[in-house]
Amino acid sequence: MLPSPHPALAEASTPESGQALEALLRLRQLRMHFQPIVAADGREVFAYEALARAAAGCSLRSPMAMFEAARQHRRLAELDGLCRELALEQWAEQGLSERLFLNVSPEVLLDSAHSRGLTRHLLHRHGLYPHQVVIELTEQTPGLDPALMREAVCHYQSMGFAIALDDLGEGYASLKLWSAVQPDFVKIDRHFISGIHQDSLKRRFVRSIIDIAHGSGSQVIAEGIEQEGEMECVSQLGAEYLQGWLFASAEVDPARQRAGLEQRLRRLSRRRHAAPLALGAGSLLRQVAPVLQDTCLEEVAERLHAEPELMALAVVDAQQRPVGMIIRHRLLGLLNQRFGPELHGRRAIHEVMQTHSLRVEEDEPLERLSAKLLGRRDIHRDEDFIIMRGGCYRGLGRPLDLLRILAERQLAVRAQCP
């Protein structure tokens, strides 16, 4: 059975889509919305991204369908120009001083129907300047010549526009475009940001992107921030800017909503920079599935080989109560001995687990947790500890995460001292 097309693409390919697109362009049935991009410390607004939305009554309901219809009917440059015109017009009306991110499909820059100098002309009309605008390349289309793409981007950069690359991480094509364009900003796709504070593989992936970005002179914007844990995590990984519903949705009138946005940022900042010692051990929680105490060593070893980021695993009974801990290097070392698999592979994990692992309730104050870690023998201080709720397993915590929070607290206190 062939897969069903994406609903938005099916919508764009109907016979009526051409008529709907014609009406949209002729009647200018578009309204721009603006979503803020904030500094990673959550204290100030850095920029806004302009997002096109069809007016009520237009059958091309989603932005994806709207642009796909324009692509199919060879009117992409026309739609792109209208979006740019309305975005700059409405932005000038807002009177805000932050930078404006304008979405541009890469193929539009190479389209013969694209009106050269349109953006600069619109800026002049509305009293704006190129340094206030960032051209955000989005909806990368396979097959674009990187050399031609680089030439088109250089044209914008020569006029003073900054360049951003959207949806980084979606595929090999985006990485090729990144190396060709060398953008001022890269935006990490929300797929890799969602739940990143609870996903070690996503953290490793995003950390690699950020390292490459900084090495090539790009700044990083993390998209799709919806939870405070995500904000904290990507900030610690080194992203300079954040965007998402945690701060604000896209608004038609961002200037009117600005006071509420700044108030929300202040609340987030106060919570984030509050004394972490008032937090509980649950703030360090990493959700790592435990193993049952009757699981054989061979099966646990297979999991450790499949998940190399795991340094330890909790062992629980049938009621999910922690009974011990398995330390990666010790278990694998046991099985790597001569005749190790034959001698130990079928043994139950509770026979070799570490029973003196540190276990704390999730509301255990971090100050008390720190004291408990310092009171352990040196050989055990760097090992993961078990976090519980009502005596039942919740997840694991790492001493390094606690040390990081305590260090940040000390820096914050010093910064507040006169």
Side-chain angles (χ1 to χ4, degrees):
M1 179 182 294
L2 294 174
S4 299
H6 190 288
L9 300 185
E11 177 185 337
S13 60
T14 60
E16 296 80 13
S17 64
Q19 297 176 358
L21 179 65
E22 170 63 33
L24 183 149
L25 293 170
R26 178 168 40 83
L27 302 176
R28 299 164 65 91
Q29 294 176 326
L30 281 177
R31 187 66 174 162
M32 305 305 296
H33 291 60
F34 302 89
Q35 185 175 36
I37 300 170
V38 306
D41 61 10
R43 291 178 174 172
E44 62 181 3
V45 181
F46 166 68
Y48 284 84
E49 179 183 356
L51 300 167
R53 300 289 184 264
C58 179
S59 62
L60 297 172
R61 295 180 296 275
S62 72
M64 182 181 292
M66 182 168 59
F67 280 92
E68 184 59 27
R71 184 175 285 107
Q72 291 185 9
H73 294 280
R74 301 183 181 279
R75 303 188 73 173
L76 188 59
E78 192 175 348
L79 176 60
D80 176 87
L82 177 59
C83 289
R84 240 184 281 192
E85 180 181 352
L86 293 176
L88 291 172
E89 178 183 308
Q90 292 175 219
W91 182 247
E93 293 172 357
Q94 296 297 315
L96 295 171
S97 60
E98 285 75 24
R99 301 179 86 167
L100 177 65
F101 279 61
L102 288 177
N103 286 295
V104 176
S105 296
E107 63 263 47
V108 168
L109 302 182
L110 307 175
D111 191 334
S112 59
H114 174 54
S115 178
R116 299 285 176 177
L118 172 64
T119 306
R120 188 162 54 179
H121 171 73
L122 292 171
L123 289 174
H124 180 73
R125 179 196 298 176
H126 298 295
L128 300 172
Y129 299 91
H131 70 266
Q132 295 175 270
V133 173
V134 179
I135 302 296
E136 180 174 331
L137 304 180
T138 188
E139 298 177 14
Q140 288 104 51
T141 300
L144 289 177
D145 186 333
L148 289 176
M149 193 69 245
R150 175 65 181 157
E151 181 180 342
V153 167
C154 284
H155 173 70
Y156 277 92
Q157 290 175 324
S158 68
M159 292 189 292
F161 296 102
I163 300 295
L165 187 59
D166 193 16
D167 293 337
L168 194 65
E170 280 203 331
Y172 179 62
S174 68
L175 296 178
K176 286 182 65 178
L177 188 57
W178 185 7
S179 64
V181 170
Q182 298 180 344
D184 302 278
F185 303 93
V186 292
K187 300 183 79 172
I188 301 179
D189 183 66
R190 68 187 62 206
H191 166 79
F192 301 99
I193 302 302
S194 177
I196 188 173
H197 57 304
Q198 298 174 342
D199 190 324
S200 59
L201 185 58
K202 285 185 177 181
R203 289 196 295 273
R204 290 169 62 189
F205 188 91
V206 169
R207 183 184 293 113
S208 297
I209 290 180
I210 292 175
D211 288 345
I212 296 172
H214 291 169
S216 61
S218 300
Q219 292 184 296
V220 176
I221 301 169
E223 293 186 294
I225 302 290
E226 297 183 4
Q227 302 180 54
E228 291 185 40
E230 296 165 348
M231 175 181 73
E232 176 67 22
C233 183
V234 295
S235 298
Q236 291 301 322
L237 290 176
E240 285 84 5
Y241 304 106
L242 314 174
Q243 182 177 1
W245 288 351
L246 178 64
F247 312 108
S249 59
E251 303 283 355
V252 172
D253 192 354
R256 182 172 296 179
Q257 307 297 326
R258 185 57 177 265
L261 171 59
E262 292 179 345
Q263 185 178 25
R264 190 176 305 114
L265 292 180
R266 285 193 294 270
R267 286 199 303 268
L268 288 169
S269 181
R270 281 196 298 268
R271 285 203 293 268
R272 183 180 175 195
H273 295 90
L277 296 182
L279 298 174
S283 63
L284 305 172
L285 182 71
R286 293 184 304 111
Q287 293 182 332
V288 180
V291 294
L292 291 171
Q293 59 185 354
D294 293 325
T295 307
C296 67
L297 272 67
E298 188 176 61
E299 185 177 335
V300 176
E302 289 178 359
R303 180 177 170 191
L304 291 174
H305 283 303
E307 301 179 65
E309 74 279 3
L310 294 180
M311 295 296 105
L313 286 170
V315 182
V316 300
D317 63 16
Q319 287 73 44
Q320 293 293 299
R321 294 186 299 248
V323 295
M325 179 88 82
I326 288 297
I327 306 302
R328 179 190 188 87
H329 67 88
R330 293 178 189 168
L331 175 64
L332 297 183
L334 180 65
L335 293 178
N336 286 335
Q337 294 176 3
R338 188 178 184 185
F339 304 120
E342 293 81 1
L343 292 173
H344 306 291
R346 303 311 301 172
R347 295 174 67 187
I349 202 70
H350 68 81
E351 297 179 40
V352 299
M353 69 184 181
Q354 179 174 295
T355 58
H356 55 268
S357 56
L358 179 60
R359 307 169 202 177
V360 297
E361 285 289 327
E362 62 181 359
D363 58 357
E364 177 96 33
L366 295 190
E367 184 177 27
R368 195 181 306 160
L369 171 57
S370 177
K372 287 183 177 181
L373 285 171
L374 291 174
R376 305 190 81 200
R377 294 173 55 194
D378 289 347
I379 192 174
H380 300 308
R381 284 182 184 173
D382 293 333
E383 293 176 355
D384 288 8
F385 50 88
I386 294 173
I387 300 174
M388 306 176 294
R389 176 188 292 170
C392 291
Y393 177 78
R394 284 274 289 138
L396 297 178
R398 283 183 174 168
L400 281 177
D401 291 336
L402 175 62
L403 292 175
R404 172 183 54 78
I405 291 180
L406 296 179
E408 290 173 357
R409 172 59 179 166
Q410 290 178 348
L411 290 175
V413 170
R414 289 175 186 172
Q416 292 172 2
C417 293

